[in-house]
Amino acid sequence: MTNTESAATPADRPIVVVLTSDDLGPPPDLAALSELATIRIATADELPTALPGARAVFVWDFFNPALADAWPAADALEWVHVAAAGVDAVMFDELRDSAVQVTNARGVFDTPIAEFVLTSVLAHLKDLPQLARAQQEQRWEHRETRTAAGRRALVVGTGGIGRATARLLRAVGMEVRGVGRVGRESDPDFGVVLPSDELAEHVGWADHLVLVAPLTAQTRGLVDARVLAAMRPEAQLINVGRGELVDEPALVAALQRGELAAAALDVFVTEPLPADSPLWTLPGVQISAHLSGDAVGWRQALAEQFEANLRRWLAGEPFESVVDKRRGYASSGR
Amino acid sequence: MTNTESAATPADRPIVVVLTSDDLGPPPDLAALSELATIRIATADELPTALPGARAVFVWDFFNPALADAWPAADALEWVHVAAAGVDAVMFDELRDSAVQVTNARGVFDTPIAEFVLTSVLAHLKDLPQLARAQQEQRWEHRETRTAAGRRALVVGTGGIGRATARLLRAVGMEVRGVGRVGRESDPDFGVVLPSDELAEHVGWADHLVLVAPLTAQTRGLVDARVLAAMRPEAQLINVGRGELVDEPALVAALQRGELAAAALDVFVTEPLPADSPLWTLPGVQISAHLSGDAVGWRQALAEQFEANLRRWLAGEPFESVVDKRRGYASSGR
């Protein structure tokens, strides 16, 4: 544990614990944070020692679930900020039932993830993997491509990332519908939003099924064998949300049976994806290492976002990107 | 030669020669054309025999230059339609100097080529080739991606395809400028259009240099060693126009020296790209087989476009997509 406390610390200067790992290290611009608060850098092991007296925790190592176990030591906690869009790894019942406010990294990942989804759509339609194979074998192979304009995408998740994705897919001429907790008409970004519990009835409409939803009790296992069986045989699944949104063994079976044509998967039930997963080598599957939102400069942006919220807190202003702890995600304000 | 002439052919029923090859065969919906005109299907060898009396030639085998050699037999020719956007392979001095009108496949390729350019931009920024390598080696490799929004593209060619490309790149948040025969301000699709003879002075502005220009005396070799040397080291060249727009040996040398980072090449000086071309294996180079515009249904669309122009001609209406034979391309109407 590294402690920037000093004898001169005024009483109103809050103690903030930054949860990190040895590999990850502290966030950039630590000096700026230390101007504002007493910063205690702690790994998971050090967390129980660091928490007493701390009024805030910055979960910089954003999938680190250590706060749950260290919870009894959190005797002064008011605020937890998670440097991720999805807070599922960090949430637990005591935190949910407490008065502690939770904020997340809303906004930072919107454009990069939307672009990654569009990239995955286009790479599939233009069959870049086959072009690459032909090039590798130095074969001049003419192929027809498919056009994105006019194709249909169902975007599951109507938060900031889902909205940015819907807008980008629409910008290139695709037809988009949303899938959310509750259905509604006339959404500004989606037009129609369908209720997620009717996904199996509606998924046959889509050429591309895009998962950007948070992982909650309602979304866990949402794309199950029934949904997969209802997909169009030429359709593509794109998952940039959480691995657990999909029944992974059912997906493998559906791909093997040709119930859908392709999948671009950036997230998995177990990460790193185990070496023995059949997904690595299934035809039509694009694998990436949970990186869709991580554009150059993302760590800096995450640190700056926390610092901005810290300044708001110290000034007595309301936080930005507050997580609805019961629902498990930050409202997009719509 | 296949001839649909019959004894009942009325005098005002024009003879139309369809230039094809044994591999390619006749266009679809030949029956519909035969309702309108006397159709003579001819390969290059058969062309001199087919041309006498023909008032139109439909260059269905769109890179076939046979009309130049068979020109003396064209005793009644009024109209040549080329089933391609670029007419460079088909143009020759006698045709240029004659009263024969030339039309082309304007419009058919706009959206597919614009999408292929966007795909190439995104595949480069998200480093899909590296993701594919990691997947192939079953390596879980986190990488940062680059964001397209805010990046700069210089689009060389201000015809219909260039405009569709500019609009699509702008739709995803990129900054775009055009390069044309003459420079101008306040173009509706490009904003600024820079004159192509100043390309070397302006190319350093661009993250992506996109070539969609027709091949003319002015554009041949436009991207030469001087232009390549002025590119940003992290920039990407995308050529979906004609191979001869680029000094290919200079491009190989520039890529080897790191004067630019990447190239997506769909067209080449010699097609198919020869087996001994270093482009096949240069790092950062994406090769495709002159297919960027060939979306599913393109052959049908090309045949329908000719039929529509044939109906206009028979009705005494002006042609659509008339090629300016002196300039070598169809005006985009701006």
Side-chain angles (χ1 to χ4, degrees):
Chain A
M1 185 171 93
T2 312
N3 200 327
T4 68
E5 285 168 84
S6 73
T9 303
D12 63 348
R13 190 178 150 88
I15 295 170
V16 174
V17 172
V18 177
L19 175 58
T20 188
S21 66
D22 289 331
D23 286 351
L24 184 57
D29 297 340
L30 196 60
L33 296 182
S34 299
E35 300 274 310
L36 302 169
T38 298
I39 304 296
R40 293 178 181 167
I41 306 288
T43 61
D45 287 348
E46 297 163 343
L47 193 60
T49 321
L51 276 176
R55 290 173 56 205
V57 171
F58 176 21
V59 186
W60 175 242
D61 183 24
F62 46 79
F63 290 146
N64 194 324
L67 188 58
D69 286 341
W71 185 250
D75 57 4
L77 200 60
E78 298 169 29
W79 170 39
V80 173
H81 180 87
V82 184
V87 297
D88 50 277
V90 176
M91 291 302 289
F92 50 97
D93 287 344
E94 293 88 338
L95 174 57
R96 207 174 274 114
D97 295 339
S98 75
V100 173
Q101 290 199 78
V102 177
T103 57
N104 76 346
R106 195 174 80 195
V108 171
F109 300 102
D110 292 5
T111 296
I113 292 183
E115 287 188 0
F116 197 87
V117 169
L118 177 60
T119 305
S120 301
V121 166
L122 290 171
H124 171 59
L125 294 177
K126 308 305 179 191
D127 207 350
L128 293 191
Q130 181 56 32
L131 298 192
R133 273 190 292 275
Q135 178 174 353
Q136 207 163 16
E137 298 162 13
Q138 304 196 20
R139 258 190 303 110
W140 182 262
E141 179 184 76
H142 183 274
R143 297 172 66 79
E144 295 184 345
T145 68
R146 285 160 293 187
T147 305
R151 247 165 248 276
R152 298 159 165 182
L154 205 51
V155 177
V156 182
T158 58
I161 298 171
R163 289 181 182 281
T165 301
R167 286 192 297 267
L168 195 63
L169 298 183
R170 282 185 155 190
V172 304
M174 294 177 72
E175 201 179 336
V176 175
R177 292 181 182 171
V179 174
R181 199 172 49 85
V182 286
R184 54 193 179 276
E185 304 281 335
S186 308
D187 182 278
D189 295 317
F190 293 103
V192 174
V193 175
L194 303 159
S196 61
D197 55 10
E198 294 177 12
L199 182 57
E201 288 93 281
H202 296 291
V203 74
W205 174 84
D207 299 304
H208 305 269
L209 175 63
V210 182
L211 309 181
V212 291
L215 181 63
T216 67
Q218 191 175 6
T219 63
R220 185 178 296 273
L222 181 66
V223 177
D224 56 13
R226 196 168 141 255
V227 168
L228 291 162
M231 285 182 75
R232 302 160 73 106
E234 67 276 23
Q236 178 193 31
L237 172 72
I238 300 175
N239 191 0
V240 289
R242 284 291 182 264
E244 295 92 333
L245 299 174
V246 178
D247 180 340
E248 224 170 62
L251 173 61
V252 170
L255 283 162
Q256 285 167 338
R257 279 198 297 265
E259 288 175 3
L260 71 167
L265 306 171
D266 188 52
V267 290
F268 303 89
V269 172
T270 305
E271 296 178 5
L273 181 63
D276 62 354
S277 170
L279 290 170
W280 282 112
T281 52
L282 265 182
V285 174
Q286 172 189 295
I287 301 284
S288 51
H290 203 143
L291 52 73
S292 75
D294 302 346
V296 172
W298 67 296
R299 294 273 187 198
Q300 183 69 32
L302 289 172
E304 286 170 7
Q305 187 178 42
F306 171 70
E307 187 186 325
N309 247 352
L310 177 58
R311 288 182 185 278
R312 281 187 205 95
W313 188 46
L314 295 173
E317 296 166 7
F319 287 123
E320 290 211 335
S321 55
V322 175
V323 172
D324 180 329
K325 292 191 291 180
R326 192 174 51 80
R327 293 202 179 144
Y329 50 85
S331 159
S332 70
R334 293 187 196 269
Chain B
M1 186 171 93
T2 311
N3 200 325
T4 68
E5 287 169 83
S6 74
T9 304
D12 62 347
R13 190 179 151 88
I15 295 170
V16 175
V17 171
V18 177
L19 175 58
T20 188
S21 66
D22 288 331
D23 286 352
L24 183 57
D29 296 341
L30 195 61
L33 297 183
S34 298
E35 299 275 310
L36 302 169
T38 298
I39 305 296
R40 294 177 180 168
I41 307 287
T43 61
D45 287 349
E46 296 163 343
L47 193 60
T49 321
L51 276 176
R55 291 172 56 201
V57 170
F58 177 21
V59 186
W60 176 242
D61 183 24
F62 46 78
F63 290 146
N64 193 323
L67 188 57
D69 285 342
W71 185 250
D75 56 5
L77 200 59
E78 297 169 31
W79 171 37
V80 172
H81 180 87
V82 184
V87 298
D88 49 277
V90 175
M91 291 301 291
F92 51 96
D93 287 343
E94 293 89 338
L95 174 57
R96 208 174 275 115
D97 296 339
S98 73
V100 173
Q101 290 199 76
V102 177
T103 58
N104 76 347
R106 194 173 82 197
V108 171
F109 301 101
D110 292 6
T111 297
I113 292 183
E115 288 189 359
F116 197 87
V117 169
L118 176 60
T119 305
S120 301
V121 165
L122 290 171
H124 172 59
L125 294 176
K126 309 305 180 190
D127 207 351
L128 293 191
Q130 182 56 31
L131 298 191
R133 273 190 293 273
Q135 177 174 354
Q136 208 165 15
E137 298 163 12
Q138 304 196 20
R139 261 189 300 113
W140 182 262
E141 179 185 75
H142 184 274
R143 297 171 67 79
E144 296 184 344
T145 68
R146 285 159 294 186
T147 305
R151 247 165 248 278
R152 297 161 165 181
L154 204 51
V155 177
V156 182
T158 59
I161 299 171
R163 291 182 179 281
T165 301
R167 287 192 297 267
L168 194 63
L169 299 183
R170 283 185 153 189
V172 304
M174 294 178 70
E175 202 179 334
V176 174
R177 292 182 182 171
V179 174
R181 200 172 50 84
V182 286
R184 53 193 179 275
E185 304 281 334
S186 310
D187 181 277
D189 295 317
F190 294 103
V192 174
V193 174
L194 302 158
S196 60
D197 55 12
E198 293 176 13
L199 181 57
E201 288 94 282
H202 296 291
V203 74
W205 173 84
D207 299 304
H208 304 269
L209 176 63
V210 182
L211 309 181
V212 291
L215 181 62
T216 67
Q218 190 174 7
T219 63
R220 186 178 295 272
L222 181 66
V223 177
D224 57 12
R226 193 166 144 254
V227 168
L228 291 162
M231 286 182 75
R232 303 161 73 106
E234 67 276 22
Q236 179 192 31
L237 172 71
I238 300 175
N239 190 0
V240 289
R242 284 290 182 266
E244 294 92 333
L245 300 174
V246 179
D247 179 340
E248 224 169 63
L251 173 61
V252 169
L255 283 162
Q256 285 167 338
R257 279 197 297 265
E259 289 176 2
L260 72 168
L265 306 172
D266 187 53
V267 289
F268 304 89
V269 172
T270 305
E271 296 178 7
L273 182 63
D276 62 354
S277 170
L279 290 170
W280 282 110
T281 52
L282 265 182
V285 175
Q286 172 189 296
I287 301 285
S288 51
H290 202 143
L291 50 74
S292 74
D294 301 347
V296 173
W298 66 295
R299 294 272 187 198
Q300 183 70 32
L302 290 172
E304 286 171 7
Q305 187 177 42
F306 170 70
E307 186 186 326
N309 248 352
L310 177 58
R311 286 182 187 279
R312 280 186 205 97
W313 188 47
L314 295 173
E317 295 165 10
F319 288 123
E320 289 209 339
S321 54
V322 175
V323 171
D324 180 327
K325 292 191 291 180
R326 194 174 49 83
R327 294 205 178 142
Y329 49 85
S331 159
S332 70
R334 293 185 196 274

